[in-house]
Amino acid sequence: MASGYTVAVVGATGAAGSTTLKILEERQFPIRELRCFASPRSVGRLVTFKGEPHPVRAIEAAAFKGVDISFGSAGTAQSKEFTPMIVKAGAIVVDKSNAFRMDPAVPLVVPEINAQAAARHSGIVACPNCTTIVTVMPLKPLHDAGRLRRVIATSYQAVSGAGVNGIDELRQQTLAWARGETIPPQHFAHRIAFNLIPAIDKFGENRYTAEEMKLVNETRKILDSPDLPLTATTVRVPVFTSHSISVNAETETKITVEQAHRLFSSFPGLRLFDDPSEQRYPMPIIVEGQDDCFVGRVREDISHPSALNFWVVGDQLRKGAATNAVQIAELLIR
Amino acid sequence: MASGYTVAVVGATGAAGSTTLKILEERQFPIRELRCFASPRSVGRLVTFKGEPHPVRAIEAAAFKGVDISFGSAGTAQSKEFTPMIVKAGAIVVDKSNAFRMDPAVPLVVPEINAQAAARHSGIVACPNCTTIVTVMPLKPLHDAGRLRRVIATSYQAVSGAGVNGIDELRQQTLAWARGETIPPQHFAHRIAFNLIPAIDKFGENRYTAEEMKLVNETRKILDSPDLPLTATTVRVPVFTSHSISVNAETETKITVEQAHRLFSSFPGLRLFDDPSEQRYPMPIIVEGQDDCFVGRVREDISHPSALNFWVVGDQLRKGAATNAVQIAELLIR
């Protein structure tokens, strides 16, 4: 019998799920047996892993018997429905959805930041929202060095954050434009081609969107700073993958640009990319396909004695989702 | 002889210049004679005004004799070169370039905000940078009502801000993508199609770009608040026209969302567009072709006891350039 783990990928045909398969392969995760799952309409399709076809199965308890680790890459509703069953079948679930992130019993983990939290799981480890992951990566070394006092995050989010439907919608709308046609929005509330939509997910009573409150609440949980003052504005932009965030971070102890450069360049998973004279700054087209989050445009906030502005970009499907989930699984098998 | 003024448009073939002609027509500016000017390579071309062709002339002193008002829609270098000559010929220059904006002897005017400043000109009135205009419009009523204490502006700027070359580059790159091809960037430093470029104009010693410092310094001058703490991040996005800015504004006196709604909806040139439950918020595709700046996503900053977040979008070629310039001219002839 081959050594390794029996691994399930739930939502294997989606954008995050198929990237998870790619990352499992790239990082040579020790897999003895792979089982791929998706919603009924995808059952019977084949997905490829290490050059081999794998049939997509229906999500039912019996099929999870013997699974060690299950990656949840489906939506929040599906995750709420199926995760308890999968845990009961004996698997540890690394869940990418919003279903359990703020559950006090569930660790919310970015391995470079709070790996130790993963050990305290009771069957589920949650993977944060993609925008949270990219934003919190550079915040962590600043927090450790100077204690964050207030954070203002403003995002530029790719359509990949809305899954394959989001990617397809930008593609189809742009192709229609090239033919001199327009097609109505289907997945997004408004046209996304050559436009900006300053609203992601539903609005809450405080006039923030759910996406914005995820960024606020998840960052606090990951940094173990439940009272950290934080505000966010999240915007969908016509970019295929990679989320960008403009961050203003105030610290108790002043951090200079030089210090921030040192902190960012020595933090695992971050790549300092900040050479304005050479027109080098993080951009989606540079970061796409990379596991690191790229940080640049670091400068002192001229409106405040102890704050920095910077710009961070991360591949939403990789570090923002699949890579982070596989890193969590690597922690679990250590 | 027809009543009205002799008007010159310098840079009449560019994006801002041709929009200026359109706005002069729309607002029925009283023109007795129109003279159009551009760089040598455009001389002899025809531009259309009120259905009539007008030949493009070379910029030389004799041609400005008798001109009452000259709209400067050329670049900064050209404006520095030609404006003194045009003023000497007897015209008042409404200049859209960066050449004179921070000159203490030159008023920098957004008519809804500081109309009275225009009267103090000595031949030149400067029109602010497009991003500044859109940002400062909602800041003014907040400043009057609660005294601004700190502003953090984060922009999403359309390619029209880079003129016709910028618009053409996004179009050509996107059409190439639709054909399955890629073409190298020519006008921008990097690809703009499906990408974000977090750098507009040159970098200064403080690691801010010239575009960011324009937003900072011009806002202070327009609001007559030379010490107002302000910081900015400016980003080019793949949108054709209309600039969007996410603004965080701290005030001495707390302003509630309800108060801000009242302030914004009663301020001339601003349109409150803030109904999340109906998915109504300002977007470039809605604002394109409009003279008003649209403001929405107004909410209290949950990280601070006396700050607001909001999102403002303005057509960069209209209120961000031509409309504001024509409004200045309307003040001058009053």
Side-chain angles (χ1 to χ4, degrees), chain B residues 112-113 136-148 249-274 292-296 298 306-308 310 312:
Chain B
E112 293 88 345
I113 298 177
V136 78
M137 284 287 288
L139 286 178
K140 171 64 173 167
L142 297 181
H143 196 38
D144 287 346
R147 296 304 298 169
L148 291 169
E250 183 185 330
T251 47
E252 266 175 49
T253 312
K254 183 185 169 75
I255 295 176
T256 65
V257 170
E258 222 172 42
Q259 288 168 324
H261 276 179
R262 274 200 303 273
L263 293 167
F264 291 150
S265 55
S266 61
F267 194 74
L270 272 187
R271 178 140 18 137
L272 181 68
F273 199 75
D274 193 15
D292 285 344
C293 294
F294 284 49
V295 63
V298 184
S306 182
L308 288 172
F310 58 87
V312 60

Coordinates of all heavy atoms in Angstrom, one line a residue, chain B residues 112-113 136-148 249-274 292-296 298 306-308 310 312:
Chain B
E112 N -17.9 75.3 -7.5 CA -18.9 75.0 -6.4 C -18.2 75.3 -5.0 O -18.9 75.4 -4.0 CB -19.4 73.6 -6.4 CG -20.2 73.2 -7.6 CD -19.4 72.7 -8.8 OE1 -18.2 72.9 -8.8 OE2 -20.0 72.2 -9.7
I113 N -16.9 75.3 -5.0 CA -16.1 75.3 -3.7 C -15.5 76.7 -3.4 O -15.7 77.3 -2.3 CB -15.1 74.2 -3.6 CG1 -15.7 72.9 -3.7 CG2 -14.2 74.4 -2.4 CD1 -14.8 71.7 -3.8
V136 N -12.4 66.4 -3.9 CA -12.6 67.5 -3.0 C -14.1 67.9 -3.0 O -14.6 68.6 -2.1 CB -11.7 68.7 -3.5 CG1 -12.3 69.4 -4.7 CG2 -11.4 69.7 -2.4
M137 N -14.8 67.5 -4.0 CA -16.3 67.9 -4.1 C -17.0 67.4 -2.8 O -17.7 68.3 -2.2 CB -16.9 67.3 -5.4 CG -16.6 68.1 -6.6 SD -17.4 69.8 -6.7 CE -19.1 69.3 -7.0
P138 N -17.0 66.2 -2.4 CA -17.7 65.8 -1.2 C -16.9 66.2 0.1 O -17.5 66.3 1.1 CB -17.8 64.2 -1.3 CG -16.7 63.9 -2.2 CD -16.5 65.0 -3.2
L139 N -15.6 66.5 0.0 CA -14.9 66.9 1.2 C -15.3 68.3 1.6 O -15.4 68.5 2.8 CB -13.4 66.9 0.9 CG -12.7 65.5 0.8 CD1 -11.2 65.7 0.5 CD2 -12.9 64.7 2.1
K140 N -15.7 69.1 0.7 CA -16.0 70.5 1.0 C -17.2 70.6 2.0 O -17.1 71.2 3.1 CB -16.3 71.3 -0.3 CG -16.8 72.7 0.0 CD -15.9 73.6 0.7 CE -16.4 75.1 0.7 NZ -15.7 75.9 1.7
P141 N -18.3 70.0 1.7 CA -19.4 70.1 2.7 C -19.1 69.5 4.0 O -19.6 70.0 5.1 CB -20.6 69.4 2.0 CG -20.0 68.6 0.9 CD -18.8 69.3 0.5
L142 N -18.3 68.4 4.0 CA -17.9 67.8 5.3 C -17.0 68.8 6.1 O -17.1 68.9 7.3 CB -17.2 66.5 5.1 CG -17.9 65.3 4.4 CD1 -17.0 64.1 4.3 CD2 -19.2 65.0 5.2
H143 N -16.1 69.4 5.4 CA -15.2 70.4 6.0 C -16.0 71.5 6.6 O -15.7 71.9 7.7 CB -14.2 70.9 4.9 CG -13.0 71.5 5.5 ND1 -12.3 71.1 6.6 CD2 -12.3 72.6 5.0 CE1 -11.3 71.9 6.8 NE2 -11.2 72.8 5.9
D144 N -16.9 72.1 5.9 CA -17.7 73.2 6.4 C -18.6 72.8 7.6 O -18.7 73.5 8.5 CB -18.7 73.7 5.3 CG -18.0 74.5 4.2 OD1 -16.8 74.8 4.4 OD2 -18.5 74.7 3.1
A145 N -19.1 71.5 7.6 CA -20.0 71.1 8.7 C -19.2 70.6 9.9 O -19.7 70.8 11.0 CB -20.9 70.0 8.2
G146 N -18.0 70.0 9.7 CA -17.4 69.4 10.8 C -15.9 69.6 10.9 O -15.3 69.0 11.8
R147 N -15.3 70.4 10.1 CA -13.8 70.6 10.0 C -13.1 69.3 9.8 O -13.0 68.4 10.7 CB -13.3 71.2 11.3 CG -13.8 72.6 11.6 CD -13.6 73.6 10.5 NE -12.2 73.9 10.2 CZ -11.7 74.6 9.1 NH1 -12.6 75.0 8.2 NH2 -10.4 74.7 8.9
L148 N -12.5 69.1 8.7 CA -11.7 67.9 8.4 C -10.5 67.9 9.3 O -9.9 68.9 9.5 CB -11.3 67.9 6.9 CG -12.4 67.6 5.9 CD1 -11.9 67.9 4.5 CD2 -12.9 66.2 6.0
A249 N -12.6 60.1 5.8 CA -12.5 61.5 6.2 C -12.8 61.6 7.7 O -13.9 61.2 8.1 CB -13.5 62.3 5.4
E250 N -11.8 62.0 8.5 CA -12.0 62.2 9.9 C -12.4 63.7 10.1 O -11.7 64.6 9.5 CB -10.7 61.9 10.6 CG -10.7 62.0 12.1 CD -9.2 61.7 12.6 OE1 -8.5 61.0 12.0 OE2 -8.9 62.3 13.7
T251 N -13.3 64.0 11.0 CA -13.7 65.4 11.2 C -13.6 65.7 12.7 O -13.7 64.8 13.6 CB -15.2 65.6 10.8 OG1 -16.0 64.6 11.3 CG2 -15.3 65.7 9.3
E252 N -13.4 66.9 13.0 CA -13.4 67.4 14.4 C -14.7 67.1 15.1 O -14.8 66.6 16.2 CB -13.1 68.9 14.5 CG -11.6 69.2 14.7 CD -11.3 70.7 14.6 OE1 -12.0 71.4 15.3 OE2 -10.4 71.0 13.8
T253 N -15.8 67.5 14.4 CA -17.2 67.3 14.9 C -17.7 66.0 14.2 O -17.6 65.9 13.0 CB -18.1 68.4 14.6 OG1 -17.4 69.6 14.9 CG2 -19.4 68.3 15.3
K254 N -18.2 65.1 15.0 CA -18.7 63.8 14.3 C -19.8 64.1 13.4 O -20.8 64.9 13.7 CB -19.2 62.9 15.4 CG -19.6 61.5 14.9 CD -20.2 60.7 16.0 CE -20.9 59.5 15.5 NZ -20.0 58.4 15.0
I255 N -19.8 63.5 12.2 CA -20.9 63.7 11.2 C -21.5 62.3 11.0 O -20.8 61.3 10.7 CB -20.3 64.2 9.9 CG1 -19.8 65.6 10.1 CG2 -21.4 64.2 8.8 CD1 -19.2 66.3 8.9
T256 N -22.8 62.2 11.2 CA -23.4 60.9 11.1 C -23.7 60.6 9.6 O -23.6 61.5 8.7 CB -24.8 60.8 11.8 OG1 -25.7 61.8 11.2 CG2 -24.6 61.1 13.3
V257 N -24.1 59.4 9.3 CA -24.4 59.0 7.9 C -25.6 59.9 7.4 O -25.6 60.4 6.3 CB -24.7 57.6 7.8 CG1 -25.3 57.2 6.4 CG2 -23.5 56.7 8.0
E258 N -26.6 60.0 8.3 CA -27.7 60.9 7.9 C -27.4 62.3 7.6 O -27.8 62.9 6.6 CB -28.7 60.8 9.1 CG -30.1 60.7 8.8 CD -31.0 60.5 10.0 OE1 -30.7 61.2 11.0 OE2 -31.9 59.6 10.0
Q259 N -26.5 62.9 8.5 CA -26.0 64.2 8.2 C -25.3 64.3 6.9 O -25.4 65.2 6.1 CB -25.2 64.7 9.4 CG -26.0 65.0 10.7 CD -25.1 65.2 11.9 OE1 -24.1 64.5 12.0 NE2 -25.5 66.1 12.8
A260 N -24.4 63.4 6.7 CA -23.6 63.4 5.5 C -24.5 63.3 4.2 O -24.3 63.9 3.2 CB -22.6 62.2 5.5
H261 N -25.5 62.4 4.3 CA -26.5 62.3 3.2 C -27.1 63.7 2.9 O -27.2 64.1 1.8 CB -27.6 61.3 3.6 CG -27.1 59.9 3.3 ND1 -28.0 58.8 3.5 CD2 -26.0 59.4 2.7 CE1 -27.3 57.7 3.1 NE2 -26.2 58.0 2.7
R262 N -27.5 64.4 4.0 CA -28.1 65.7 3.8 C -27.1 66.7 3.2 O -27.4 67.4 2.2 CB -28.6 66.3 5.1 CG -30.0 65.8 5.4 CD -30.7 66.7 6.5 NE -29.9 66.9 7.7 CZ -30.0 66.0 8.7 NH1 -30.8 65.0 8.7 NH2 -29.3 66.2 9.8
L263 N -25.9 66.6 3.7 CA -24.8 67.6 3.2 C -24.5 67.3 1.7 O -24.4 68.2 0.9 CB -23.5 67.4 4.0 CG -23.6 67.9 5.5 CD1 -22.4 67.4 6.3 CD2 -23.7 69.4 5.5
F264 N -24.4 66.0 1.4 CA -24.0 65.7 0.0 C -25.2 66.0 -0.9 O -25.0 66.5 -2.0 CB -23.7 64.2 -0.1 CG -22.4 63.8 0.6 CD1 -22.2 62.5 1.1 CD2 -21.3 64.7 0.7 CE1 -21.0 62.1 1.7 CE2 -20.1 64.3 1.3 CZ -20.0 63.0 1.8
S265 N -26.4 65.7 -0.5 CA -27.5 65.8 -1.5 C -27.8 67.3 -1.7 O -28.4 67.6 -2.7 CB -28.7 65.0 -1.1 OG -29.1 65.4 0.2
S266 N -27.4 68.2 -0.8 CA -27.7 69.6 -1.0 C -26.5 70.4 -1.6 O -26.7 71.6 -1.8 CB -28.2 70.2 0.3 OG -27.2 70.1 1.3
F267 N -25.4 69.7 -1.8 CA -24.3 70.4 -2.4 C -24.3 70.4 -3.9 O -24.4 69.4 -4.5 CB -23.0 69.7 -1.9 CG -21.7 70.6 -2.1 CD1 -21.5 71.7 -1.3 CD2 -20.8 70.3 -3.1 CE1 -20.4 72.5 -1.5 CE2 -19.7 71.1 -3.3 CZ -19.5 72.1 -2.5
P268 N -24.2 71.6 -4.5 CA -24.3 71.7 -6.0 C -23.2 70.9 -6.6 O -22.0 71.0 -6.2 CB -24.2 73.2 -6.3 CG -23.7 73.8 -5.0 CD -24.1 72.9 -3.9
G269 N -23.5 70.1 -7.6 CA -22.5 69.3 -8.4 C -22.3 67.9 -7.8 O -21.6 67.1 -8.4
L270 N -22.9 67.7 -6.7 CA -22.8 66.3 -6.1 C -24.2 65.6 -6.2 O -25.2 66.3 -6.1 CB -22.5 66.4 -4.6 CG -21.1 66.4 -4.1 CD1 -21.1 66.3 -2.6 CD2 -20.2 65.3 -4.7
R271 N -24.2 64.4 -6.5 CA -25.4 63.6 -6.5 C -25.3 62.4 -5.5 O -24.4 61.6 -5.7 CB -25.8 63.1 -7.9 CG -27.0 62.3 -7.9 CD -28.0 62.4 -9.0 NE -27.5 63.0 -10.2 CZ -27.9 62.5 -11.4 NH1 -28.6 61.5 -11.5 NH2 -27.4 63.1 -12.5
L272 N -26.1 62.4 -4.5 CA -26.1 61.3 -3.6 C -26.7 60.1 -4.3 O -27.8 60.2 -4.8 CB -26.9 61.7 -2.3 CG -27.0 60.6 -1.3 CD1 -25.6 60.4 -0.6 CD2 -28.0 60.9 -0.2
F273 N -26.0 59.0 -4.2 CA -26.4 57.8 -4.9 C -26.1 56.6 -4.0 O -25.0 56.0 -4.2 CB -25.7 57.7 -6.3 CG -26.3 56.8 -7.3 CD1 -27.5 57.2 -8.0 CD2 -25.8 55.6 -7.6 CE1 -28.0 56.4 -9.0 CE2 -26.3 54.8 -8.6 CZ -27.5 55.2 -9.3
D274 N -26.9 56.4 -3.0 CA -26.5 55.6 -1.9 C -27.6 54.7 -1.4 O -28.1 55.0 -0.3 CB -25.9 56.5 -0.8 CG -25.1 55.6 0.2 OD1 -24.8 54.5 0.0 OD2 -24.8 56.2 1.3
D292 N -22.3 65.7 -12.8 CA -22.3 65.6 -11.3 C -21.2 64.5 -10.9 O -21.0 63.6 -11.6 CB -23.6 65.2 -10.8 CG -24.6 66.4 -10.8 OD1 -24.2 67.5 -10.9 OD2 -25.8 66.1 -10.7
C293 N -20.7 64.7 -9.7 CA -20.0 63.7 -9.1 C -20.9 62.9 -8.2 O -21.7 63.5 -7.4 CB -18.8 64.2 -8.2 SG -17.6 65.1 -9.2
F294 N -20.9 61.6 -8.3 CA -21.9 60.7 -7.6 C -21.2 60.2 -6.3 O -20.1 59.7 -6.4 CB -22.3 59.5 -8.5 CG -23.2 59.8 -9.6 CD1 -23.1 60.9 -10.4 CD2 -24.4 59.0 -9.7 CE1 -24.0 61.2 -11.4 CE2 -25.3 59.3 -10.7 CZ -25.1 60.4 -11.6
V295 N -21.9 60.3 -5.2 CA -21.3 59.8 -3.9 C -22.2 58.8 -3.3 O -23.4 58.9 -3.3 CB -20.9 61.0 -3.0 CG1 -22.1 61.8 -2.7 CG2 -20.1 60.6 -1.8
G296 N -21.6 57.7 -2.8 CA -22.4 56.7 -2.1 C -21.5 55.9 -1.2 O -20.4 56.3 -0.8
V298 N -21.7 55.6 1.8 CA -21.4 56.4 3.0 C -21.7 55.6 4.3 O -22.8 55.0 4.4 CB -22.3 57.7 3.0 CG1 -22.0 58.6 4.2 CG2 -22.3 58.5 1.7
S306 N -15.0 59.4 15.0 CA -15.4 60.5 14.3 C -14.9 60.6 12.8 O -14.2 61.5 12.4 CB -15.1 61.8 15.0 OG -15.6 62.9 14.3
A307 N -15.2 59.5 12.1 CA -14.7 59.5 10.7 C -15.8 58.8 9.8 O -16.6 58.0 10.3 CB -13.4 58.7 10.6
L308 N -15.8 59.1 8.5 CA -16.7 58.5 7.6 C -15.9 57.8 6.5 O -14.8 58.3 6.1 CB -17.6 59.5 6.9 CG -18.7 60.2 7.8 CD1 -19.3 61.4 7.0 CD2 -19.8 59.2 8.1
F310 N -16.5 56.9 2.4 CA -17.5 57.0 1.3 C -16.7 56.8 0.0 O -15.5 56.7 -0.1 CB -18.2 58.4 1.3 CG -17.3 59.6 1.2 CD1 -16.9 60.1 0.0 CD2 -16.9 60.2 2.4 CE1 -16.1 61.2 0.0 CE2 -16.1 61.3 2.4 CZ -15.7 61.8 1.1
V312 N -16.7 58.1 -4.1 CA -17.2 59.1 -5.0 C -16.6 58.8 -6.4 O -15.5 58.4 -6.6 CB -16.8 60.5 -4.5 CG1 -15.3 60.7 -4.4 CG2 -17.3 61.6 -5.4

